Amino acid sequence: MKSELQYFKTEDFHTALQKFFKNLHIPVNYIAEESVRPQDILSSTYKEDHPAFQLMNDVYFLGMVDDAAFEGNSSLDPDKIESDYDGILIFGVTLNQRGNHLLPTRSQLAEITRSFNREFHYTPVVVIFKYENFIAFANAERLKYQQEWREGEKAGKVSLLRDIDLDNPHSGHLRILSELAITRSGKKAINSFAHLYTYWQTVFNVSLLNKKFYEELSNWYFWAIKEVAFPSAPTLSNVIKETGKKDHNRLEELIHEHNAKNVIRLLTRFLFVWFIKEKKLIPEKLFDLESLKNEILKNFSPYHIEDEGTLFEIIHADTGSNYYKAILQNLFFATLNQEVGKRAFRKGGQNRNITNLVRYEACFKKPEEFISLVESVVPFMNGGLFECLDKPHPTEKGPKGGEVIIYEDGFSDRKDNLLKVPDYLFFGLDEEVNLSSVIGIKNKKTEQAVVKGLINIFESYKFTIAENTPIEEDVALDPELLGKVFENLLASYNPETKTTARKQTGSFYTPREIVNYMVDESLIAYLKNAVKEWEMSEDELDSQLHQLLSFDPINPFKDNQPLQREIIKALDRCTILDPACGSGAFPMGILQKMVHILQKVDPLNSYWQELQMEKALQETKSVFHLADK
């Protein structure tokens, strides 16, 4: 698929689109080869001077995918279709270049896709965008209008596979594109519009993508628990103190919980790092196998499998942990947890217990180049997530009066450092392992679980830093995943629930749909009380507030300027409290919805800015009012 995308650079756009759908084995009844101006095709949706027309260049009405196309017959003329039709209209849109190589936003691509669906409301649409050296694939759901008196249908959620680099496409993008391809024979044959539409909705389902990722990550997590060792692990003497006897089963449980807690901590830090890598704040070289082997690390052992002719033999002697120690621990504790300009190696016995200086100097080929590499882009993140947990004992002293360190993370150059997180846990190739004992379930799936290195898992998925909404979704893993992973894995070692936790699916986070409902109902209840003069019935008010909070572009209060100002003031005064905050899904959801409301009632941001300026001036006056000279 990677090489096949090159025709978007070598061929004209119309020909490239034809080849694209041919490679997906999608039958298309082609309609027109010539491009048209976007104003000619979206005239009833946008006015001539709408900003969307400034973004778009040419529009190609490629064709239709319907049952007639699958049967090799001609489709109906789109101009003659007036009601519900089982087919997908395909458009190609070239976009104008923006300044400073700015790529179009998700919202811009989604809004253009909806505009096509409004013009051709009788059938869903797919839009392929081309801009600079990228393409994007947009798929719109088809949903009935909420108002019964309106005819036709409207675009529902828009799913986007965007910023696909034609020269170096991400493996996660390539995987989704390959899944869009269909087969016309066998058990999984797709030979009708209905099957194609259902199948594509499945491919674009971010919930299923999250589930697939979590299954891979969960297998890695249970595999890692068996392979790692962390300092301060429980011993038999701890069990004797607790139970009064040598209970080896209890010792095994305690070690499992100890390893699980530390692996969850590792995963949470790593996942956060991976997201900020999407903002180009972490050097790619730190995750690139060739760069690590050839330029950065000594004694790097990334594989758990050796190739011997045609056989693959798993070897367990390899326990090198240089990647976790020298790269990840230094990134966590001595880079992200250290101010820019102060990153340096700990020298000899100096600063022995300072845990935000770089360690493991002997592991690097060119130590100072590592410092320069991270200094160039990595920010200081003062949040606590990357604080090293190794601490001096509050009371105990060593035989020579020195401090005794309680090791949790094991960020230490000492030769007796018990930390073991093998390199192959990050770069290992696919292998089959038995996880039934650590998961607590014995079946074929757990006894023959497929695992691979953590970085190999992450690189097979596309991540996005733009949080998805109920009507716009990148077909990628978004920051909400942080909470899902943390809360789900946390249950697997919780001492209070361990008897059942390992046998549950781990669905403890609040799904986005429920969060959205809670957000809407909370804000509506607040606005009803915060704004006093609504001057309408309770039922009418409820209906209009739900419309205001909906993702429809309609603002029911657009003709009532004083009321809109009261809504803005109420939002400015609003305080949100979530006693069971967890990963912050509700506070973030309500913040997003408040911004969404402001975009409706104050699209130019004029009154909000005026309100903030007035508040700032009042605060300034109070500061400079000095009663005592």
Side-chain angles (χ1 to χ4, degrees), residues 223-420:
W223 177 44
I225 289 173
K226 296 174 62 178
E227 304 291 312
V228 300
F230 283 89
S232 303
T235 62
L236 202 54
S237 61
N238 298 123
V239 176
I240 294 172
K241 285 181 182 179
E242 178 190 314
T243 65
K245 58 182 179 180
K246 294 182 179 180
D247 187 340
H248 290 278
N249 290 331
R250 178 57 182 157
L251 177 61
E252 187 179 328
E253 284 182 1
L254 290 175
I255 292 174
H256 171 93
E257 290 168 14
H258 177 77
N259 287 349
K261 177 178 65 177
N262 282 283
V263 172
I264 289 171
R265 191 179 291 133
L266 184 164
L267 267 177
T268 306
R269 289 165 172 162
F270 186 88
L271 190 55
F272 191 93
V273 163
W274 202 265
F275 274 111
I276 62 174
K277 183 171 73 75
E278 288 295 307
K279 289 183 70 70
K280 312 298 182 187
L281 296 176
I282 305 289
E284 291 282 352
K285 280 188 173 184
L286 300 185
F287 308 96
D288 180 68
L289 188 60
E290 294 305 311
S291 297
L292 290 164
K293 284 197 299 186
N294 300 329
E295 301 174 32
I296 302 175
L297 287 178
K298 299 177 184 176
N299 303 321
F300 180 44
S301 307
Y303 298 123
H304 197 216
I305 299 175
E306 281 190 349
D307 187 357
E308 295 191 354
T310 57
L311 298 176
F312 287 90
E313 178 187 356
I314 298 177
I315 54 172
H316 296 277
D318 173 18
T319 57
S321 302
N322 281 1
Y323 181 74
Y324 180 67
K325 289 180 177 179
I327 301 298
L328 292 185
Q329 282 201 317
N330 277 323
L331 180 62
F332 295 160
F333 310 135
T335 306
L336 289 162
N337 196 48
Q338 175 64 287
E339 295 177 43
V340 178
K342 295 183 178 180
R343 291 148 180 178
F345 281 95
R346 185 181 74 88
K347 297 299 181 182
Q350 301 174 25
N351 311 121
R352 191 166 68 91
N353 299 329
I354 295 179
T355 55
N356 58 355
L357 289 175
V358 184
R359 297 176 183 243
Y360 311 117
E361 186 171 0
C363 296
F364 292 96
K365 290 183 176 180
K366 298 176 180 178
E368 291 307 319
E369 287 191 8
F370 172 76
I371 300 291
S372 300
L373 182 63
V374 295
E375 278 284 86
S376 62
V377 293
V378 183
F380 168 50
M381 307 204 78
N382 184 20
L385 177 62
F386 299 109
E387 182 181 353
C388 181
L389 299 182
D390 298 340
K391 301 291 182 186
H393 195 284
T395 57
E396 191 175 335
K397 297 294 180 182
K400 296 182 180 180
E403 290 180 312
V404 172
I405 304 299
I406 302 172
Y407 288 101
E408 284 282 336
D409 285 308
F411 187 41
S412 171
D413 284 312
R414 289 171 61 99
K415 291 183 179 180
D416 60 354
N417 186 358
L418 298 175
L419 178 68
K420 179 188 121 181

Side-chain angles (χ1 to χ4, degrees), residues 145-160:
Y145 278 119
Q146 293 174 341
Q147 300 92 338
E148 293 182 1
W149 53 269
R150 296 189 72 169
E151 296 179 358
E153 300 191 351
K154 69 171 183 178
K157 179 171 63 184
V158 175
S159 300
L160 285 153

